């Protein structure tokens, strides 16, 4: 048996994700959850839902989270980390409020949260913290004893997150026809967000053009591009591009869009492209539709050979990274000196989100941060 790793003072891990429909009848109710408060008509939601209906009304994210749960539990057991793992979602069952209610009933009092978003942004960090605060407020109103909740730091530059993506790009390059492989361009993709949200992402002292969101993604692109050059001997040109825009046309969002970028590359005579979705933990709907369906259709229209590299998903190296992040955070909570593991130029992210980090236009209480009302 492996020596037991010390996770104290924590007694459970919550995998917190976005959620997605599990069948056609779930699609519109799910989208109503996602867009609640925005006044979007049901007919428009049905149009948006066509992306899901193409795949039988089932989002792949739930199955991918179940696979990640299995990978985490196996890794923890194999390495002597006695920490039970639960799963809750923001927008669909299992809802985070229900999961926290279950965790409280099971006697857990110090809970760590792993969000399925690796980078700093309002939608990728603070919004998860706001939903945690909303869940705690509901449970407090029910008269329950609330646990203390902390969130694991951003893991965009942890080796266990980066290395599987490097491997994915290498495999995609190797899968291209030999006559176009050396000239292939790498299009690193992530979810587009409003310019204003990007500019205010991360701690307040780093706000500015692109904020932490763009800086963090660029650091990862350089890590992957450098590793590909070192391992293949070919210096592939690359660019960070965006996908999955969903906002009003008059509001500026991060650009260029991946489809526009493919047209630009084709016009410049680029012989092939690898699309590397570094902004996504798993192959959920934004990857399956926006890249595997829409962007690949654009590439086929252009006659441009493309490959799409894999996301990290339930890769054992990512599960190991989560274990290392837990042990690191637990030791820090116990007052021990630790050296956080991080690649690139930005160093490890903060453990506790400071006041003013990734603010929303209309501030709401957020748990697991310096401004949390629940300590």
């Amino acid at each position: 048996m492996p020596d037991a790793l010390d996770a104290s003072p924590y007694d459970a891990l919550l995998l917190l994700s976005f959620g997605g429909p599990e069948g056609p009848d779930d699609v519109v109710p799910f989208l109503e959850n996602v867009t609640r408060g925005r006044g979007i008509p049901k007919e428009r939601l049905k149009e948006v839902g066509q992306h899901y209906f193409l795949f039988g009304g089932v989002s792949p994210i739930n199955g991918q989270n179940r696979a990640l749960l299995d990978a985490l539990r196996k890794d923890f057991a194999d390495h002597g980390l006695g920490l039970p793992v639960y799963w809750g979602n923001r927008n669909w069952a299992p809802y985070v409020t229900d999961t926290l209610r279950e965790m409280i009933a099971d006697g857990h009092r110090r809970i760590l949260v792993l969000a399925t978003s690796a980078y700093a942004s309002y939608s990728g960090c603070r919004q998860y913290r706001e939903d945690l605060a909303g869940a705690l407020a509901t449970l407090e109103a029910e008269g329950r004893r609330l646990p203390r909740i902390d969130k694991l730091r951003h893991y965009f530059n942890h080796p266990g997150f980066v290395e599987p993506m490097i491997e994915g790009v290498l495999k995609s390059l190797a899968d291209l026809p030999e006559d176009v492989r050396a000239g292939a361009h790498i299009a690193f993709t992530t979810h587009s967000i409003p310019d204003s949200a990007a500019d205010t992402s991360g701690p307040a002292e780093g706000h500015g053009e692109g904020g932490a969101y763009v800086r963090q993604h660029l650091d990862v692109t350089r890590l992957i591009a450098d590793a590909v050059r070192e391992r293949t001997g070919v210096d592939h040109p690359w660019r960070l591009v965006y996908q999955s825009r969903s906002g009003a046309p008059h509001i500026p969002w991060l650009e260029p869009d991946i489809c526009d970028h493919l047209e630009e590359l084709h016009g410049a005579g680029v012989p092939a492209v690898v699309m590397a979705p570094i902004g996504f933990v798993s192959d959920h709907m934004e990857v399956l539709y926006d890249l595997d369906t829409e962007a690949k259709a654009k590439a086929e229209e252009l006659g441009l050979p493309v490959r799409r590299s894999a996301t990290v998903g339930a890769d054992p190296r990512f599960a190991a990274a989560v274990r290392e992040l837990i042990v690191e955070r637990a030791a820090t909570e116990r007052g021990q000196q630790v050296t956080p593991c991080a690649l690139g130029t930005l160093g490890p992210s903060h453990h506790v989100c400071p006041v003013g980090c990734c603010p929303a236009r209309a501030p709401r209480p957020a748990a697991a941060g310096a401004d949390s009302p629940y300590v």
Side-chain angles (χ1 to χ4, degrees):
M1 293 291 292
D3 294 333
L5 296 175
D6 192 357
S8 64
Y10 299 108
D11 55 27
L13 176 71
L14 168 62
L15 174 65
L16 180 58
S17 195
F18 191 81
E22 303 255 35
D25 292 342
D26 296 343
V27 172
V28 172
F30 162 73
L31 292 173
E32 288 175 333
N33 286 344
V34 174
T35 61
R36 181 164 285 118
R38 301 183 200 173
I40 299 177
K42 183 170 287 191
E43 291 307 311
R44 173 57 181 152
L45 295 181
K46 289 180 180 178
E47 292 176 20
V48 175
Q50 292 306 314
H51 296 181
Y52 291 94
F53 294 131
L54 284 173
F55 299 91
V58 178
S59 169
I61 194 171
N62 294 322
Q64 290 159 7
N65 279 326
R66 294 183 182 103
L68 180 55
L69 284 170
D70 290 343
L72 291 171
R73 288 166 178 157
K74 181 181 187 306
D75 180 90
F76 293 1
D78 289 347
H79 292 86
L81 182 63
L83 201 69
V85 186
Y86 294 74
W87 169 37
N89 289 323
R90 292 180 44 220
N91 298 298
W92 201 249
Y95 290 101
V96 62
T97 302
D98 297 333
T99 302
L100 284 175
R101 188 181 290 114
E102 177 187 0
M103 297 176 81
I104 292 171
D106 289 346
H108 297 298
R109 296 291 176 261
R110 289 294 300 272
I111 297 170
L112 263 177
V113 173
L114 167 67
T116 55
S117 179
Y119 301 85
S121 70
Y122 171 73
S123 56
C125 182
R126 186 176 177 87
Q127 199 167 17
Y128 283 89
R129 294 175 48 223
E130 290 177 353
D131 287 343
L132 286 168
L136 291 172
T138 297
L139 298 174
E140 185 176 41
E142 295 174 0
R144 299 179 189 273
R145 179 184 173 188
L146 298 185
R148 174 172 166 177
I149 295 180
D150 294 326
K151 180 177 174 290
L152 287 172
R153 65 179 172 89
H154 301 301
Y155 46 85
F156 64 94
N157 56 2
H158 193 287
F161 186 68
V162 176
E163 183 59 38
M165 294 190 292
I166 295 171
E167 184 177 284
V169 172
L170 290 170
K171 286 182 176 179
S172 292
L173 286 167
D175 190 48
L176 284 168
E178 188 174 358
D179 61 331
V180 298
R181 189 179 305 148
H185 177 102
I186 306 172
F188 294 102
T189 76
T190 191
H191 207 301
S192 184
I193 61 175
D195 287 2
S196 58
D199 294 346
T200 56
S201 58
E205 62 269 18
H207 289 176
E209 186 174 358
Y213 187 73
V214 172
R215 285 196 301 273
Q216 290 171 358
H217 280 87
L218 285 174
D219 213 38
V220 173
T221 61
R222 294 186 188 102
L223 284 167
I224 298 173
D226 288 349
V228 168
R229 183 181 63 252
E230 290 167 5
R231 299 181 197 186
T232 66
V234 180
D235 191 7
H236 291 274
W238 60 267
R239 186 171 181 181
L240 176 63
V241 300
Y242 303 92
Q243 61 174 88
S244 312
R245 174 181 172 140
S246 59
H250 68 280
I251 298 175
W253 281 52
L254 294 173
E255 295 179 334
D257 175 79
I258 177 61
C259 289
D260 295 338
H261 186 55
L262 292 176
E263 288 190 342
E264 178 185 350
L265 293 176
H266 178 258
V270 170
V273 179
V274 168
M275 300 183 294
I278 63 169
F280 305 92
V281 172
S282 65
D283 287 5
H284 50 67
M285 190 56 69
E286 281 82 354
V287 176
L288 289 190
Y289 182 80
D290 297 328
L291 293 183
D292 290 355
T293 305
E294 194 172 51
K296 283 189 176 179
K298 172 58 70 174
E300 185 175 348
E301 172 192 320
L302 297 169
L304 180 64
V306 296
R307 298 292 185 272
R308 196 267 292 172
S309 67
T311 53
V312 173
D315 190 289
R317 289 165 292 187
F318 181 45
V322 174
R323 166 174 40 85
E324 292 170 8
L325 289 167
I326 290 168
V327 172
E328 169 199 302
R329 179 63 185 272
T332 300
E333 287 294 305
R334 296 193 303 268
Q336 297 175 231
Q337 293 293 321
V338 296
T339 302
C341 190
L343 302 174
T345 62
L346 298 179
S349 185
H350 47 261
H351 283 304
V352 179
C353 292
V355 176
C357 193
C358 302
R361 290 183 179 179
R364 294 171 52 201
D371 54 357
S372 172
Y374 301 102
V375 179

